[in-house]
Amino acid sequence: MTVILYRLSQFYGMITIIVVASVLYDDDVMYMVFISAPQHPGNILLLKDGRLGLIDYGQVKCLEEKDRILYAKFILALQKDDREEIVRLYNKEMGIRTKDNLSEVLYRHAVFYHDRDTDDITQGLNMHLFLEKLESDDPVRHISEEYVMVGRVNFLIRGVSKAFGLELKMSHLWKAQAEEYLKSKKEL
């Protein structure tokens, strides 16, 4: 019984780490000028005193204030699942373009990379088949550099959470920080 409880505490400790890392990452996006992309499990350290340490800042992108404001608005649209606003922001404001700019493809692409990969988005397909389907339906022609690293880390955090049986909706975790940031910039 002691071993089971210890393993459960390790499991729930990892869940806490994943959620805390997600929120810390969001603070990074909203308030920091630089964002580090390679934040994966090997780059998140649990220190002896219980604090989390992030290492490896080899890939860093500078996010201008306008990009952080736009991403905060995008997070809120994702949180509300406002399809029209998600597509408008992703395509018109964030500059992600596909061959035909089909709304359904843009919506699924945006949500998959920046929020969740649930069956309602992936149509029950595994990641590989889903991305192949998106590409065959309406191939991506341009992705703005500003948002590649943000999406990459978001995707990595969700991947780690899946290993522990969690389905994270990143916009739910990041909603409060996005609102706070937009209020501080008088954008909300």
Side-chain angles (χ1 to χ4, degrees):
M1 184 65 158
T2 305
V3 171
I4 292 170
L5 289 175
Y6 175 71
R7 288 192 177 149
L8 278 174
S9 71
Q10 285 183 314
F11 172 75
Y12 288 110
M14 183 52 71
I15 291 172
T16 301
I17 289 169
I18 291 167
V19 171
V20 168
S22 300
V23 172
L24 286 174
Y25 175 72
D26 179 58
D27 281 343
D28 204 27
V29 172
M30 302 301 167
Y31 290 101
M32 303 299 281
V33 174
F34 298 100
I35 184 157
S36 172
Q39 297 308 339
H40 56 77
N43 291 338
I44 301 172
L45 303 176
L46 179 57
L47 304 175
K48 288 180 181 180
D49 65 1
R51 292 179 300 139
L52 290 179
L54 300 177
I55 62 169
D56 189 357
Y57 287 86
Q59 295 179 3
V60 177
K61 176 70 183 160
C62 177
L63 288 178
E64 302 294 331
E65 184 174 316
K66 66 179 179 51
D67 299 320
R68 294 191 309 274
I69 288 169
L70 181 57
Y71 198 73
K73 290 177 180 179
F74 181 60
I75 289 296
L76 295 182
L78 287 166
Q79 203 279 324
K80 293 177 198 166
D81 200 25
D82 183 341
R83 287 176 178 242
E84 193 173 305
E85 184 66 357
I86 290 167
V87 170
R88 185 190 74 74
L89 289 169
Y90 202 57
N91 181 247
K92 305 290 185 209
E93 302 290 330
M94 294 167 71
I96 287 66
R97 308 266 190 282
T98 59
K99 181 181 175 204
D100 298 317
N101 290 320
L102 298 176
S103 291
E104 187 64 21
V105 171
L106 288 164
Y107 169 75
R108 289 181 187 280
H109 193 276
V111 173
F112 180 76
Y113 279 104
H114 296 273
D115 195 30
R116 66 188 189 281
D117 52 12
T118 50
D119 284 350
D120 63 309
I121 299 305
T122 65
Q123 301 165 311
L125 299 172
N126 68 40
M127 179 175 60
H128 177 76
L129 294 176
F130 172 69
L131 291 174
E132 278 186 349
K133 181 173 177 7
L134 280 184
E135 195 64 17
S136 72
D137 289 349
D138 192 10
V140 173
R141 295 293 189 236
H142 180 264
I143 296 180
S144 300
E145 283 183 29
E146 290 77 12
Y147 306 103
V148 169
M149 288 194 188
V150 178
R152 180 174 179 232
V153 177
N154 180 327
F155 196 76
L156 288 169
I157 289 170
R158 289 193 343 257
V160 171
S161 73
K162 279 186 174 288
F164 293 92
L166 296 174
E167 288 285 339
L168 293 182
K169 183 174 181 189
M170 301 306 287
S171 63
H172 178 75
L173 289 173
W174 294 355
K175 178 186 177 202
Q177 289 87 351
E179 288 175 336
E180 180 184 309
Y181 183 72
L182 290 173
K183 284 177 186 172
S184 76
K185 299 298 175 184
K186 302 194 182 349
E187 293 281 337
L188 186 65

